[in-house]
Amino acid sequence: MTRARRRRIGLVVACALALAILLPLGARAAANRWHDDTLWANSLRSLGGLQVPYDFAIFLQAADDVRAGDNPYVNPDSVTEQAQAPYAYPPLLAIVLIPATVLPDDVGGSSPVGVLVSLLLIACVAGTLALLDVRDWRCYPIALLYPPTLENVEYGAIGPVLALLVALAWRYRDRVGRVAAALGAAVALKVFLWPLVVWLAATRRWKAAVAAAAVAGGLALASWAAIGFDGIADYPELLRRLSDVEAENSYSAYAILVAVGLSSTLAHLVVAVVAAGLLGLGWRAARTGSDGDRRSFTFALAAGFVLTPILWLHYLVLLVVPIALARPRLSGLWLVPLAMTVFELLDLYRGWPRGDGWALLSVAAVVTIVFAGAIRRPGRRLAAWL
């Protein structure tokens, strides 16, 4: 390693450490003066250690249950709209977070967990862009200011971790072991990402597709075995009850179709047909042109978004992946998710839209424009601007 390279690495590490200290201190100072219940204020409270992020607190309790040898899953009958959200991930996430359960609850009036998880999520977003060869520094603050990014910090959700794993899968798509490990872990954590396995098959990476599916299944099975298969019998019913409570109240394609008057059965059918169409287009794109690999990958990710019966706004941090792949330098496409900042001011950015047509339409428009802009090759003036 040359001296110049060592100097650059040292500078990067020093900057990262400085940011790790200054960001929580600045967030804490701002949060102490900003007490309303907004996305910005809540994310600042999490980053400043003034609160344990809501979703992460659920994950942490599940990890504590696993460490104590208890079942981390609730009785499915207790799942209602009024009840606290249950832990519904496979045991893998709870097991990975067991070391976090030994951290103290409070240090100098701050929650170490709140600070550390917030910094980790910010680092995951930055790491995702770096892995996707985004060299334009302007893209980084823009991506970190996306409302879905801030919401992940507010709640301590795992969206940025999933984005990082998906970026790793793309980066190492020609290395069977690495892509299988990254994509398998992502699918094990959030099954709606399984269409990316189809992308591997569409691009004739057959060994990687089989290996990724095997890793996902193996991680899920091993994590259940690690907790003695506690709760596995009721797990399908838990997911079904959770879907009954949350699906129509979320931002999913299914929720949109139900909101416009389709029956539940017909909505599920339309979702399946649209997702199959996207996968078919992805399969075709994989065999057309030098950019076919990226476009096939984007189609597969879009199919995952369509298929998931429950879609919350913090899932949309994954939009940084198709944007970064399509436009590694700043362009209009990078600014599209920032529109959700305006939506929050207009009360259209809500945790639970509950079938509100304008809220659903605004978010659906952002997702559609991002994927349409990412899939199309720059050509016409509008496409080039995006």
Side-chain angles (χ1 to χ4, degrees), residues 273-357:
V273 170
V274 172
L278 289 170
L279 288 174
L281 290 170
W283 197 281
R284 180 181 178 184
R287 288 157 173 74
T288 56
S290 58
D291 200 31
D293 198 356
R294 180 194 64 81
R295 296 176 69 240
S296 177
F297 179 89
T298 305
F299 271 119
L301 188 59
F305 270 79
V306 169
L307 278 170
T308 180
I310 301 173
L311 191 150
W312 300 120
L313 291 169
H314 55 76
Y315 290 19
L316 301 186
V317 71
L318 284 160
L319 293 178
V320 301
V321 175
I323 293 173
L325 286 175
R327 307 289 185 268
R329 294 188 61 82
L330 185 63
S331 72
L333 192 61
W334 282 95
L335 305 179
V336 174
L338 282 179
M340 286 184 278
T341 304
V342 179
F343 298 160
E344 185 185 17
L345 297 175
L346 298 175
D347 194 30
L348 296 177
Y349 187 98
R350 305 173 186 170
W352 287 57
R354 303 182 190 279
D356 181 274

Side-chain angles (χ1 to χ4, degrees), residues 53 55-56 59 89 117 121 151-153 155-161 314:
D55 282 11
F56 196 80
F59 306 156
Y89 285 81
V117 71
L121 296 176
E151 187 164 312
N152 275 278
V153 174
Y155 287 105
I158 66 168
V161 177
H314 55 76

Side-chain angles (χ1 to χ4, degrees), residues 94-150:
I95 292 171
V96 169
L97 292 177
I98 286 177
T101 62
V102 303
L103 292 173
D105 294 331
D106 183 271
V107 175
S110 295
S111 165
V113 167
V115 173
L116 290 175
V117 71
S118 298
L119 289 174
L120 173 64
L121 296 176
I122 291 171
C124 284
V125 174
T128 296
L129 301 188
L131 282 168
L132 299 177
D133 289 324
V134 176
R135 298 291 178 258
D136 190 336
W137 69 267
R138 297 171 296 177
C139 299
Y140 286 77
I142 288 174
L144 291 173
L145 290 175
Y146 287 163
T149 304
L150 297 176

Side-chain angles (χ1 to χ4, degrees), residues 36 86 102 202 209 215 269 297 326:
D36 56 1
V102 303
V215 168
L269 178 61
F297 179 89

Side-chain angles (χ1 to χ4, degrees), residues 219-310:
L219 285 173
L221 183 62
S223 63
W224 280 107
I227 67 169
F229 296 100
D230 283 346
I232 194 170
D234 292 332
Y235 190 63
E237 178 63 13
L238 173 63
L239 295 183
R240 188 191 68 79
R241 291 293 295 269
L242 197 63
S243 182
D244 288 344
V245 170
E246 297 184 353
E248 292 184 18
N249 292 316
S250 74
Y251 287 89
S252 64
Y254 168 80
I256 294 172
L257 293 171
V258 170
V260 300
L262 272 64
S263 67
S264 177
T265 300
L266 185 56
H268 280 301
L269 178 61
V270 172
V271 163
V273 170
V274 172
L278 289 170
L279 288 174
L281 290 170
W283 197 281
R284 180 181 178 184
R287 288 157 173 74
T288 56
S290 58
D291 200 31
D293 198 356
R294 180 194 64 81
R295 296 176 69 240
S296 177
F297 179 89
T298 305
F299 271 119
L301 188 59
F305 270 79
V306 169
L307 278 170
T308 180
I310 301 173

